[in-house]
C-alpha cells in the first residue's frame, strides 16, 4: 500500500514538471523571477487553506526546493479556523495523498467571526490573515505565500472598477503594515484557474470549495456575490474574445498616464489638469 501511495505522489510531482510544465511550473517560475518574490535565505510560510490552489502551491514549492540554485526554507502551515469534521478529514486526506508535511494549527476564528455580528465573511478573512501573519512571525518566517492565481487578480481588478470606481489590482507581493519585515507573496500570480482544475481532475483530487463552514450563508454576502457575478462576466467576455484575460492583465501595467483623468499616489490625488497647460505650451514651441 505504501509503495502504491508513494508511486502516486511521484506521478503527481512528475506531472508538474513535465505534463503541466507550460501551464503550471513555467508560469510559477516566471512569477517568482519577474516579481523577485524569493531571495537566498528567505524563510517562507506556505499557507494551505485546503483548496486546490493552496495545495498546488505547496507542491510547487516542494519541487522548487529540489531544483532551486540557492538556499531558502519553507514551512507548510494549515491554519484550522474551525473546519467541520468532514472538511478537515478531506484536507488531511489530500495532504497525505500529495505528500505535503503541513503542520495543522487550530484556532476558533469561524465561531468568533460568526458571533460578532455584521459581515462574518469579511471579519473572518481579516482574522485569518492576521492569524497567519502571527504564526509566520513566531516561526521566524519573513514571507507568507498565498494561493491567489491569475483569475483572482483579474476578478479583483474588475470588481474595483465596476463596484468601487477605482483602478487597482491585486499585487504579486506586498509589505505587511503591522508585521515589520514580513512580505506577502503570490507565486500563482500568472497561473490560470482552469489549469489548476485540469491538474486536480487528472488525478481525481477532490478539494473543499470553501474553507468556511458557513458556506451556505455566503451566497448572500455582498462581496461573495459580486465576485461570483464578476467571474461569470469574465467567462462571457472570454467566450467572445479568448485573449481578454491577457489584455486585462497587461492593462494593469500599461497605463497611459497622458490619457487618464487623474490618479492617486498614497494620500495625494492628482488631476490631468495639473499638466494640461504645460502640454499646450510645449506643443506651441
Amino acid at each position: 500500500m505504501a509503495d502504491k501511495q508513494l508511486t502516486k505522489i511521484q506521478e503527481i510531482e512528475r506531472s508538474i514538471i513535465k505534463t503541466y510544465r507550460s501551464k503550471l511550473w513555467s508560469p510559477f517560475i516566471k512569477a517568482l523571477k519577474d516579481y523577485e518574490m524569493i531571495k537566498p535565505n528567505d524563510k517562507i510560510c506556505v499557507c494551505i487553506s485546503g483548496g486546490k490552489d493552496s495545495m498546488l502551491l505547496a507542491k510547487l514549492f516542494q519541487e522548487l526546493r529540489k531544483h532551486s540554485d540557492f538556499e531558502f526554507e519553507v514551512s507548510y502551515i494549515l491554519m484550522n479556523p474551525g473546519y467541520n469534521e468532514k472538511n478537515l478529514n478531506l484536507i488531511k486526506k489530500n495532504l497525505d495523498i500529495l505528500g505535503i508535511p503541513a503542520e495543522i494549527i487550530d484556532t476558533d476564528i469561524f465561531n468568533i467571526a460568526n458571533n460578532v455580528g455584521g459581515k462574518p465573511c469579511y471579519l473572518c478573512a481579516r482574522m485569518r490573515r492576521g492569524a497567519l501573519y502571527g504564526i509566520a512571525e513566531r516561526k521566524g518566517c519573513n514571507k507568507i505565500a498565498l494561493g491567489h492565481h491569475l483569475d483572482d487578480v483579474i476578478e479583483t481588478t474588475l470588481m474595483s472598477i465596476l463596484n468601487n470606481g477605482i483602478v487597482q489590482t491585486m499585487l504579486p507581493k506586498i509589505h505587511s503594515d503591522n508585521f515589520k519585515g514580513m512580505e506577502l507573496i503570490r507565486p500563482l500570480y500568472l497561473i490560470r484557474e482552469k489549469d489548476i482544475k485540469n491538474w486536480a481532475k487528472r488525478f481525481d483530487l477532490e478539494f473543499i470549495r470553501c474553507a468556511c463552514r458557513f458556506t451556505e450563508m455566503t451566497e448572500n454576502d455582498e462581496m461573495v456575490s459580486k465576485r461570483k457575478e464578476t467571474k461569470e462576466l469574465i467567462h462571457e467576455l472570454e467566450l467572445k474574445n479568448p485573449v481578454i484575460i491577457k489584455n486585462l492583465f497587461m492593462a494593469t501595467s500599461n497605463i497611459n498616464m497622458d490619457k487618464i483623468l487623474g490618479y492617486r499616489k498614497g494620500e495625494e490625488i492628482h488631476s490631468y489638469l495639473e499638466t494640461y497647460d504645460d502640454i499646450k505650451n510645449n506643443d506651441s514651441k
Side-chain angles (χ1 to χ4, degrees):
M1 180 68 179
D3 289 340
K4 183 177 181 181
Q5 179 76 356
L6 181 61
T7 300
K8 182 169 185 178
I9 292 174
Q10 290 177 328
E11 185 182 359
I12 290 171
E13 292 173 344
R14 191 176 296 115
S15 75
I16 292 173
I17 300 296
K18 294 187 176 181
T19 308
Y20 298 95
R21 188 179 189 88
S22 65
K23 301 296 185 180
L24 300 179
W25 180 251
S26 292
F28 168 68
I29 296 299
K30 179 175 173 57
L32 294 180
K33 292 183 176 179
D34 286 358
Y35 302 109
E36 301 177 354
M37 293 190 192
I38 300 179
K39 297 179 180 179
N41 302 316
D42 275 344
K43 187 168 184 181
I44 302 164
C45 179
V46 175
C47 298
I48 301 169
S49 67
K52 65 186 187 312
D53 309 323
S54 61
M55 289 286 191
L56 171 63
L57 177 65
K59 292 308 297 179
L60 286 166
F61 265 98
Q62 285 182 314
E63 288 304 304
L64 184 64
R65 289 269 291 159
K66 297 176 186 176
H67 302 285
S68 178
D69 55 2
F70 61 83
E71 291 295 322
F72 65 93
E73 296 181 45
V74 179
S75 293
Y76 302 93
I77 300 299
L78 176 84
M79 194 268 297
N80 176 13
Y83 299 124
N84 61 40
E85 185 177 359
K86 180 180 178 181
N87 279 343
L88 186 57
N89 287 337
L90 178 57
I91 291 170
K92 290 179 177 179
K93 176 184 176 181
N94 285 329
L95 290 174
D96 186 52
I97 290 173
L98 295 169
I100 300 172
E103 177 184 357
I104 300 177
I105 299 176
D106 296 326
T107 72
D108 198 29
I109 289 176
F110 281 168
N111 277 335
I112 297 172
N114 192 54
N115 291 324
V116 167
K119 296 182 177 181
C121 293
Y122 172 77
L123 180 59
C124 176
R126 290 203 58 170
M127 292 179 66
R128 289 169 66 190
R129 181 67 58 84
L132 287 173
Y133 274 113
I135 292 169
E137 185 179 57
R138 290 193 295 272
K139 288 188 167 295
C141 296
N142 66 311
K143 291 182 179 177
I144 295 175
L146 297 182
H148 296 121
H149 46 65
L150 180 57
D151 292 72
D152 291 323
V153 176
I154 300 304
E155 289 164 17
T156 300
T157 304
L158 274 187
M159 286 174 68
S160 293
I161 296 172
L162 299 177
N163 301 309
N164 300 318
I166 303 173
V167 179
Q168 63 182 22
T169 191
M170 179 184 286
L171 297 173
K173 65 177 183 180
I174 57 174
H175 290 288
S176 170
D177 292 329
N178 301 315
F179 292 81
K180 186 177 180 180
M182 187 78 70
E183 282 185 272
L184 185 151
I185 62 175
R186 298 182 169 105
L188 304 187
Y189 201 74
L190 301 179
I191 295 178
R192 291 298 309 273
E193 182 179 26
K194 63 182 180 181
D195 295 322
I196 300 175
K197 288 181 177 179
N198 288 337
W199 170 77
K201 184 178 180 181
R202 164 68 179 78
F203 296 101
D204 297 318
L205 297 171
E206 178 188 357
F207 298 104
I208 62 173
R209 287 182 54 248
C210 176
C212 182
R213 74 165 179 242
F214 309 110
T215 301
E216 65 274 9
M217 302 178 186
T218 61
E219 289 301 323
N220 294 323
D221 183 84
E222 183 179 0
M223 185 60 68
V224 174
S225 177
K226 291 297 183 183
R227 183 166 290 277
K228 182 179 178 182
E229 290 176 7
T230 306
K231 186 182 288 288
E232 292 172 351
L233 172 61
I234 293 173
H235 176 67
E236 292 176 9
L237 292 173
E238 197 170 13
L239 290 175
K240 299 177 181 178
N241 181 2
V243 296
I244 194 72
I245 293 292
K246 178 181 177 181
N247 289 340
L248 287 170
F249 181 72
M250 287 177 58
T252 62
S253 59
N254 191 28
I255 297 173
N256 187 338
M257 298 296 288
D258 293 329
K259 298 294 183 180
I260 60 173
L261 292 175
Y263 68 94
R264 177 182 296 167
K265 183 70 174 178
E267 296 299 321
E268 297 180 358
I269 298 177
H270 299 272
S271 167
Y272 89 111
L273 292 176
E274 294 173 1
T275 59
Y276 180 77
D277 289 331
D278 293 339
I279 296 174
K280 177 182 177 182
N281 293 333
N282 288 334
D283 290 341
S284 63
K285 291 180 180 179

